[in-house]
Amino acid sequence: MQKMTVAQARQPQSAGEHVRLQGWIRTRRDSKGGFSFLELSDGSSVGNIQIVAEAALPNYESEIKHLSAGCSVTVEGELKASPAKGQATEVHAKAIAVHGWADPETYALQKKRHSFEFLRTLAHLRPRTNTFGAIARVRNCICRSIHNFFQEEGFLYVHAPIITASDCEGAGEMFKVTTLDLANVPKTSSTVDFTQDFFDRPAFLTVSGQLEAEIFACALGKVYTFGPTFRAENSNTSRHLAEFWMVEPEMAFFELADNMDLAERFLKRIFRDVLAQCPDDMQFFNAQIEPTVLSTLEGIIGSDFVRLSYTEAVEILAGSGAKFEFPVAWGHDLQAEHERYLTEQHFSRPVILCDYPRSIKPFYMRVNDDGRTVRAMDILVPRVGEIIGGSQREERLDVMAERMREQKLAPEAYWWYLDLRRYGTVPHSGFGLGLERAVQFVTGMANIRDVIPFPRVPGSADF
Ligand code: 4AD
Ligand code: MG
């Protein structure tokens, strides 16, 4: 008797084995001939395995004939080649033990299909559905691929803090971390007295591990962080979360073009790994969720990303004749509709946009010789828009100080960051990939809330 996963048992070469399988019933169908077919799932693959349970089993009438979706069981039996189409094997049960019942009157996952909105209210049950099982496996594959890529390239994995005093993006979209009694906040005349707070100053959840990654890159060369990040922006869109995971490589002696090359290779590696390691899940997404995911990923792996300056992009958009909700003008940030026009309609490929106006990008980006633009790069992909944001960092102390004044940041608060420019400064670059945007793009899922196990968005943090 061999304990197996459903994924292993579904392999044609497993036929003939005596196996023990454990999981949850998806469906039961009783045949007139006095036996039942059970579909068993254990999360190891998107496909289930069929169990044939004969009436001669001792608990056939008392238990097996009452099994329904969600019941948990151990099945022992013989794996045989299946005559049914769509499955190589099936199990002829010798024994079925029931661990837990799931009352069909109240168990929510009875129907074959539920809307994703409905399933969002059942974050504790949705991993049991085909779609969310497949997402969990693909998300895991992407994370493994991220680590493999950077480890093979000689990067060190460093851990940035989650609680921080600095606002990396300077956008003021931070969650405060405090132990002060909110009903009785200590004050100094007009403002809150943070010297009485836990950290002796205002503290926040990090929006990015970049600044800390720069510290390590400027000592160790090539590093990456990969962890949760938080944004208190009140955007209720299908592409924004208040808590999301970001992977941020940071490299000393990398200029913007090196940064772009790395990011392009990195994304292609992730897509290749998912296609190779999750073929069944990807077939599922292509068939059930978005019929272009496979062809899009295959196309991207085999072609070069477009590289284009912000200024050229504005010219293309302004001359496109397309109707946009937000007008296009040099100096304004591009909106999702503009980004998607470029990557979906105009180029039908991923686009790396660079050299954005200095006024719309954070203080840490390197100012170009034209004085008007900075060495930023955003990578745009069809359906999702911006998937990566990055830049070459400003390594000149005087220019950095000027940029901080320009953006009304207090240099005292960033003394340690300025020290990196004061002592042994080097050109360096990095970028951030939003993990959920990557999962969204790969799977074709329309809403980012469905590609993270427990989504946090304005007004909702139930589980
Ligand atoms: O473009 P962003 O804000 O860049 C940074 O945070 C830099 N410090 C990264 C760096 O250079 N090390 O964010 C990077 C990426 C975006 O391109 C997007 O994929 C994702 O993070 N992202 C979000 N994903 C989900 N929900 C949100 N609210 C997101 N905000 C950014
Ligand atoms: Mg960005």
Side-chain angles (χ1 to χ4, degrees):
M1 183 77 56
Q2 210 191 328
K3 190 168 163 166
M4 268 192 192
T5 63
V6 168
Q8 291 166 329
R10 283 171 54 85
Q11 300 297 320
Q13 66 271 22
S14 297
E17 300 269 3
H18 287 267
V19 295
R20 174 185 295 142
L21 296 167
Q22 300 182 297
W24 294 266
I25 299 294
R26 283 297 178 80
T27 59
R28 191 196 82 239
R29 193 157 53 81
D30 301 326
S31 132
K32 292 213 183 63
F35 52 92
S36 298
F37 294 110
L38 306 168
E39 286 285 326
L40 184 76
S41 150
D42 67 357
S44 57
S45 73
V46 73
N48 306 322
I49 193 149
Q50 176 165 284
I51 316 287
V52 185
E54 299 201 0
L57 289 168
N59 59 344
Y60 184 76
E61 288 297 331
S62 61
E63 293 193 316
I64 294 170
K65 277 198 82 169
H66 303 283
L67 287 171
S68 57
C71 296
S72 50
V73 294
T74 293
V75 177
E76 293 181 353
E78 192 187 346
L79 264 179
K80 295 193 172 171
S82 175
K85 90 175 200 316
Q87 56 188 32
T89 58
E90 61 186 25
V91 180
H92 289 238
K94 297 262 183 319
I96 297 179
V98 182
H99 299 283
W101 296 96
D103 183 354
E105 292 298 315
T106 54
Y107 184 59
L109 301 184
Q110 291 298 326
K111 279 197 308 178
K112 267 252 169 211
R113 267 180 177 275
H114 297 277
S115 75
F116 294 135
E117 286 84 352
F118 174 68
L119 289 172
R120 263 171 237 148
T121 67
L122 299 173
H124 63 307
L125 296 178
R126 68 179 189 170
R128 300 181 182 196
T129 64
N130 286 337
T131 306
F132 288 88
I135 290 165
R137 286 185 296 272
V138 167
R139 188 177 162 110
N140 173 70
C141 177
I142 291 175
C143 293
R144 182 173 53 211
S145 183
I146 287 169
H147 282 297
N148 285 347
F149 176 82
F150 287 120
Q151 293 294 328
E152 287 163 21
E153 297 263 337
F155 283 65
L156 285 187
Y157 181 28
V158 300
H159 298 97
I162 287 177
I163 300 174
T164 174
S166 40
D167 182 357
C168 172
E169 294 305 295
E173 293 164 336
M174 311 197 43
F175 289 101
K176 272 209 178 65
V177 176
T178 180
T179 52
L180 292 178
D181 177 0
L182 294 185
N184 189 15
V185 175
K187 293 231 169 125
T188 51
S189 62
S190 61
T191 59
V192 176
D193 181 10
F194 280 106
T195 64
Q196 296 191 44
D197 202 352
F198 192 92
F199 296 107
D200 206 31
R201 76 200 65 198
F204 309 90
L205 294 179
T206 188
V207 295
S208 159
Q210 176 196 323
L211 304 186
E212 293 85 357
E214 283 187 55
I215 293 177
F216 275 77
C218 291
L220 300 165
K222 295 193 289 186
V223 303
Y224 68 108
T225 71
F226 187 10
T229 50
F230 307 85
R231 307 255 167 126
E233 54 190 327
N234 201 356
S235 32
N236 253 310
T237 78
S238 59
R239 307 178 319 131
H240 288 90
L241 291 163
E243 175 179 308
F244 63 99
W245 284 65
M246 187 156 41
V247 49
E248 296 181 272
E250 190 70 35
M251 299 74 63
F253 308 106
F254 263 53
E255 307 224 351
L256 190 64
D258 308 314
N259 205 23
M260 292 182 186
D261 292 343
L262 182 80
E264 180 168 342
R265 276 197 302 121
F266 172 55
L267 285 178
K268 286 178 174 171
R269 165 66 182 271
I270 293 175
F271 302 155
R272 256 202 319 275
D273 282 352
V274 172
L275 290 175
Q277 295 166 14
C278 299
D280 296 348
D281 291 321
M282 288 309 299
Q283 285 291 346
F284 170 84
F285 288 116
N286 205 64
Q288 303 292 332
I289 302 295
E290 168 59 54
T292 61
V293 284
L294 286 178
S295 57
T296 305
L297 294 181
E298 280 155 7
I300 287 177
I301 290 168
S303 60
D304 292 337
F305 292 10
V306 176
R307 298 183 185 196
L308 193 74
S309 73
Y310 165 91
T311 303
E312 291 167 302
V314 166
E315 282 163 12
I316 290 174
L317 291 166
S320 70
K323 277 261 166 297
F324 296 117
E325 187 185 338
F326 295 91
V328 182
W330 202 97
H332 291 262
D333 213 353
L334 297 180
Q335 302 294 322
E337 56 174 345
H338 306 134
E339 297 176 342
R340 292 186 57 173
Y341 177 85
L342 291 169
T343 174
E344 288 172 12
Q345 327 281 80
H346 193 81
F347 291 111
S348 310
R349 273 193 285 162
V351 176
I352 311 183
L353 276 188
C354 62
D355 299 331
Y356 283 70
R358 70 190 279 168
S359 57
I360 60 171
K361 288 292 186 185
F363 69 96
Y364 56 70
M365 296 188 177
R366 192 181 198 281
V367 178
N368 275 316
D369 292 344
D370 64 12
R372 300 205 309 156
T373 59
V374 290
R375 284 196 192 159
M377 62 169 215
D378 277 6
I379 303 190
L380 318 176
V381 293
R383 280 187 277 104
V384 168
E386 179 192 336
I387 193 167
I388 279 181
S391 65
Q392 184 171 338
R393 318 308 189 190
E394 183 56 73
E395 85 283 13
R396 298 162 296 185
L397 183 63
D398 52 336
V399 184
M400 173 70 75
E402 182 192 327
R403 287 280 283 156
M404 293 183 104
R405 272 196 301 278
E406 196 174 293
Q407 307 213 349
K408 307 220 167 13
L409 294 170
E412 316 82 74
Y414 293 87
W415 63 272
W416 49 273
Y417 191 67
L418 293 167
D419 265 6
L420 302 181
R421 280 75 186 163
R422 211 169 263 130
Y423 306 110
T425 192
V426 292
H428 62 289
S429 301
F431 61 83
L433 168 73
L435 175 65
E436 287 74 20
R437 298 247 177 114
V439 181
Q440 225 188 330
F441 178 63
V442 165
T443 59
M445 292 297 290
N447 196 311
I448 199 165
R449 297 168 196 212
D450 297 329
V451 298
I452 186 165
F454 304 100
R456 272 84 182 92
V457 294
S460 153
D462 277 351
F463 285 79

